[in-house]
Amino acid sequence: MLKNIYNVIIIIEYESGDNMFLNISIKKKKKILLLALIFCCCIVSGGYFYTMYKTAINANVRFSKQASWNIKFTEITTKNEIGSAVNYKAPVLYNYEAIFYIEFKEPGDSITYDIKIKNFGTLNAMLNNINFYSNILDQVDFSYEKVNTGMILTPEQEITVRVKLTYNPKTDSIPIDDGKITLSLDWIQAS
């Protein structure tokens, strides 16, 4: 009886219509069955992996107003001239840059500016860094007030930064003809 269960007859039809009967041995049957089982397991596990790999949550997002990032200088005013310090040209204001043209004649001369900054965007901005660059650090002292790192500038809010430059009375270096000072305020989106 067991012999009949394992006997498998494969019929191969040729185009001529002749039938050919082949008997397959039990070892071959087991190998074929094992290979078929492995193939089925691979298909099932591959399908499972595919469904696990492709599982995703999708979201469609719409913003009711367009977010924008736009912080600009709006006004510059010379507030205080001490000694013989003067603007040899009027200060120039661009959207993202303020330029002063200062002439110092004697050590101890100083000049102060108020610069207004406004957030024209729709996002809160946080002052991340305040950077100061100069090629005349020995001759000119530089300071700023009313602004500090971490401060938040909300949409449509305006602040005033006070900047003071002083010809250092204690300098022992010879001044160069023209110097350059840069104050950079780096803003990021507030969280």
Side-chain angles (χ1 to χ4, degrees):
M1 184 100 176
L2 288 177
K3 211 173 193 182
N4 291 335
I5 292 175
Y6 289 108
N7 275 338
V8 175
I9 298 174
I10 298 176
I11 299 173
I12 300 174
E13 257 187 69
Y14 291 97
E15 287 188 24
S16 63
D18 294 335
N19 289 334
M20 182 176 181
F21 296 92
L22 297 174
N23 286 329
I24 298 177
S25 69
I26 292 178
K27 282 185 179 181
K28 285 185 180 180
K29 291 177 198 175
K30 285 183 180 179
K31 285 182 183 177
I32 291 172
L33 188 59
L34 182 61
L35 287 174
L37 184 61
I38 290 172
F39 179 76
C40 288
C41 288
C42 288
I43 295 294
V44 169
S45 62
Y48 180 75
F49 176 76
Y50 179 77
T51 59
M52 292 303 293
Y53 181 71
K54 290 294 182 181
T55 301
I57 297 173
N58 295 316
N60 294 319
V61 179
R62 179 182 295 168
F63 295 96
S64 61
K65 62 180 181 177
Q66 187 65 28
S68 65
W69 185 256
N70 194 7
I71 299 167
K72 295 181 181 180
F73 292 115
T74 59
E75 185 180 324
I76 184 169
T77 309
T78 304
K79 291 304 282 183
N80 195 10
E81 296 171 334
I82 296 176
S84 55
V86 294
N87 289 310
Y88 67 88
K89 281 173 56 175
V92 177
L93 187 66
Y94 297 105
N95 288 332
Y96 307 103
E97 185 177 27
I99 302 171
F100 316 125
Y101 299 95
I102 307 162
E103 182 178 343
F104 293 123
K105 295 182 181 173
E106 299 290 328
D109 289 353
S110 72
I111 195 164
T112 305
Y113 299 95
D114 279 351
I115 307 164
K116 290 186 179 180
I117 302 171
K118 185 172 182 177
N119 183 355
F120 288 97
T122 59
L123 301 171
N124 288 344
M126 182 177 77
L127 185 55
N128 189 46
N129 285 318
I130 300 172
N131 298 306
F132 173 68
Y133 310 98
S134 175
N135 65 344
I136 51 172
L137 284 174
D138 293 345
Q139 289 94 22
V140 177
D141 293 328
F142 182 88
S143 64
Y144 55 87
E145 300 174 358
K146 301 183 180 182
V147 66
N148 54 27
T149 57
M151 73 181 297
I152 304 293
L153 192 60
T154 59
E156 298 303 317
Q157 181 182 3
E158 187 172 62
I159 60 170
T160 301
V161 178
R162 180 160 289 159
V163 176
K164 182 177 181 182
L165 296 122
T166 304
Y167 187 174
N168 186 352
K170 298 178 184 175
T171 187
D172 57 355
S173 60
I174 299 170
I176 58 175
D177 288 338
D178 292 317
K180 186 170 184 173
I181 298 170
T182 303
L183 173 67
S184 170
L185 305 175
D186 300 331
W187 299 87
I188 60 172
Q189 182 178 341
S191 53

